[in-house]
Amino acid sequence: MFVRRRLTLFAMTVAAAPLAVGACTAGPKSVVKQAEAAPPSVTVTPADRARDVPISAEVGTRVSNGRVTGVRLTDDKGRPVAAQAREDGSGWVPDRPLANSRTYTAEVTAAGDSGKTTTRKTTFTTMAKSTKPAVTSELYFQDKQTYGTAMPVVLGFDPPIPEQARADVQRRLFVKTDPPQPGTWSWMSDGKQAEYRAPDHWKPGTRISVRSALEGLPIGKEAVGDSDRVATARVGRQVSLDIDNTTKQMTVYQDGKVLRKLPVSLGKPSTPSSSGTMVIMEKHEHTTFDTRGEPDGGYVVDVDDAQRLTWGGEFIHSAPWSEGEQGYNNTSHGCTNVSAAGADWLMGITQVGDLVTVKGTEVKLQPGNGFTAWNVSWDEFAKGSALPVPTGLKPTQSPTPHPGAVAGGSAPAPTPTRSNSGG
């Protein structure tokens, strides 16, 4: 935060000397001088000559009586290290993790309103490679992909991030959008998953750049972050699915208009589908559901045109064996069954990140069972942030928009358990 200099004016009055009788005078004069402005005061971290600095270190700055005008970070061979300023001006984050057992020099210049400048220099040495176990992180947001308008940025952690370490981790998670659509991160209560979204769905065409800068970051006293990950993707067309257990129908929307309705068969009473607002997580033209070892499983079946909705194994998929029941009865093990022709058509319409709303079933979608960022209101979502959320961030739509409202393939999951039970 920049602290602006406050000028204090001191008035100095010079008294007139005694006057000679009969002399001609213009009277006493007052002379006012402005106290000389203090130069900027600059504090830089890491401290000078600091040792064993984590490779996740950034150049922190605190300035009074001025503002930062330049930051230069170099390694021990004099080569510049690229870094980006934080939005709040509190520091500069290197574009890549620093190297282990190396010495770096940071030089920070600040200017005051008077034009005076102050430069502070600090030299520090990073720690040797850590022997502490690394927390495995998984970024479910791939580079050069096109996603639906409801796609959150999702990170999974194994082991879970303890509550007292979440603010430090969150400060190293960066999301930039073009055009700007600011949002926040929100943590699942168990610390296994964090999700980022804005108050409203992304606008089609938005460019989203993500960096999970966790490599070498101390996480609590016993662990460090595993990797520095980056990805840039774009948002495609607006598509959403509304699945109603009462009517046994799926309504497919694009840009707020109904494209088509498809009959469905959902989970039978012993294995019901989850009701809630979820997101398509991945798509497979062909996959195998293997439920051996599942409480209500025991079968292995090949399926076509499968789209994952939950970590627990709920999919939308082709089910030619239940076409006679679709639109009338629930016969699945929790999945949304559609006809072979309907499932093939859906695969050409949907994107990972499209919103899917299921209603009227016997059970509710559990937090973190999939990408569940839209299954709660914005206010509830923001409560899950480990850092303050700007009060001005509010939805422009109603808190629970109709799934048809126009909105302004994943790697293996470490947690929670990923299931291909299907059915």
Side-chain angles (χ1 to χ4, degrees), residues 61-133:
T61 58
R62 187 171 60 189
V63 180
S64 58
N65 300 328
R67 58 188 177 83
V68 173
T69 57
V71 174
R72 177 176 169 80
L73 180 63
T74 54
D75 64 16
D76 46 17
K77 295 183 179 180
R79 295 175 298 197
V81 176
Q84 304 295 323
R86 284 190 174 274
E87 290 185 1
D88 63 2
S90 63
W92 269 253
V93 182
D95 289 355
R96 299 177 182 175
L98 302 179
N100 291 109
S101 302
R102 296 285 294 276
T103 299
Y104 293 86
T105 298
E107 190 174 288
V108 178
T109 300
D113 292 342
S114 65
K116 293 185 177 182
T117 62
T118 298
T119 298
R120 289 287 178 266
K121 184 182 291 187
T122 181
T123 298
F124 60 92
T125 303
T126 55
M127 65 189 298
K129 187 173 180 61
S130 177
T131 58
K132 295 179 179 179

Side-chain angles (χ1 to χ4, degrees), residues 367-418:
N369 185 15
F371 301 166
T372 57
W374 295 99
N375 200 45
V376 294
S377 68
W378 169 255
D379 288 341
E380 189 66 26
F381 183 81
K383 287 179 183 179
S385 174
L387 297 173
V389 177
T391 56
L393 281 182
K394 295 292 182 182
T396 57
Q397 305 174 2
S398 67
T400 54
H402 187 277
V406 178
S410 304
T415 56
T417 302
R418 180 190 186 96

Side-chain angles (χ1 to χ4, degrees), residues 293-369:
E294 299 285 340
D296 297 306
Y299 62 88
V300 178
V301 61
D302 294 329
V303 296
D304 296 330
D305 300 327
Q307 306 190 51
R308 181 185 287 273
L309 300 180
T310 71
W311 292 125
E314 295 180 42
F315 288 76
I316 299 169
H317 66 82
S318 169
W321 57 84
S322 70
E323 288 184 10
E325 303 290 341
Q326 293 167 18
Y328 304 101
N329 298 304
N330 290 336
T331 60
S332 82
H333 289 80
C335 290
T336 299
N337 288 182
V338 294
S339 68
D344 181 68
W345 175 82
L346 273 176
M347 288 288 283
I349 294 295
T350 59
Q351 309 146 113
V352 171
D354 285 344
L355 196 73
V356 178
T357 301
V358 180
K359 57 186 179 181
T361 65
E362 295 87 343
V363 296
K364 292 183 178 180
L365 179 67
Q366 295 301 303
N369 185 15

Side-chain angles (χ1 to χ4, degrees), residues 86-273:
R86 284 190 174 274
E87 290 185 1
D88 63 2
S90 63
W92 269 253
V93 182
D95 289 355
R96 299 177 182 175
L98 302 179
N100 291 109
S101 302
R102 296 285 294 276
T103 299
Y104 293 86
T105 298
E107 190 174 288
V108 178
T109 300
D113 292 342
S114 65
K116 293 185 177 182
T117 62
T118 298
T119 298
R120 289 287 178 266
K121 184 182 291 187
T122 181
T123 298
F124 60 92
T125 303
T126 55
M127 65 189 298
K129 187 173 180 61
S130 177
T131 58
K132 295 179 179 179
V135 174
T136 300
S137 63
E138 194 70 51
L139 176 61
Y140 299 104
F141 194 87
Q142 296 184 351
D143 194 43
K144 299 178 182 179
Q145 298 296 308
T146 299
Y147 290 113
T149 57
M151 182 66 180
V153 180
V154 181
L155 271 164
F157 300 96
D158 185 17
I161 303 298
E163 188 171 1
Q164 64 271 21
R166 292 176 194 172
D168 289 339
V169 171
Q170 189 172 325
R171 278 184 58 81
R172 298 289 295 182
L173 306 179
F174 304 95
V175 179
K176 292 183 179 180
T177 55
D178 183 21
Q181 295 168 79
T184 189
W185 290 91
S186 183
W187 292 84
M188 295 297 122
S189 60
D190 59 10
K192 293 181 178 180
Q193 185 170 299
E195 298 178 311
Y196 182 98
R197 72 167 174 95
D200 297 317
H201 297 154
W202 307 117
K203 297 175 182 178
T206 297
R207 178 184 173 93
I208 305 174
S209 298
V210 180
R211 182 184 178 195
S212 170
L214 300 180
E215 184 173 346
L217 177 73
I219 299 178
K221 296 181 180 180
E222 305 299 331
V224 295
D226 67 334
S227 185
D228 196 298
R229 308 176 192 277
V230 295
T232 297
R234 65 178 294 274
V235 178
R237 61 185 179 274
Q238 189 276 335
V239 172
S240 58
L241 313 179
D242 184 359
I243 301 170
D244 189 342
N245 184 42
T246 301
T247 62
K248 306 292 189 295
Q249 296 288 318
M250 172 195 294
T251 305
V252 182
Y253 297 89
Q254 182 174 333
D255 299 326
K257 299 179 180 178
V258 176
L259 286 184
R260 188 172 175 182
K261 290 192 175 185
L262 299 172
V264 299
S265 179
L266 301 177
K268 56 190 176 183
S270 60
T271 54
S273 304

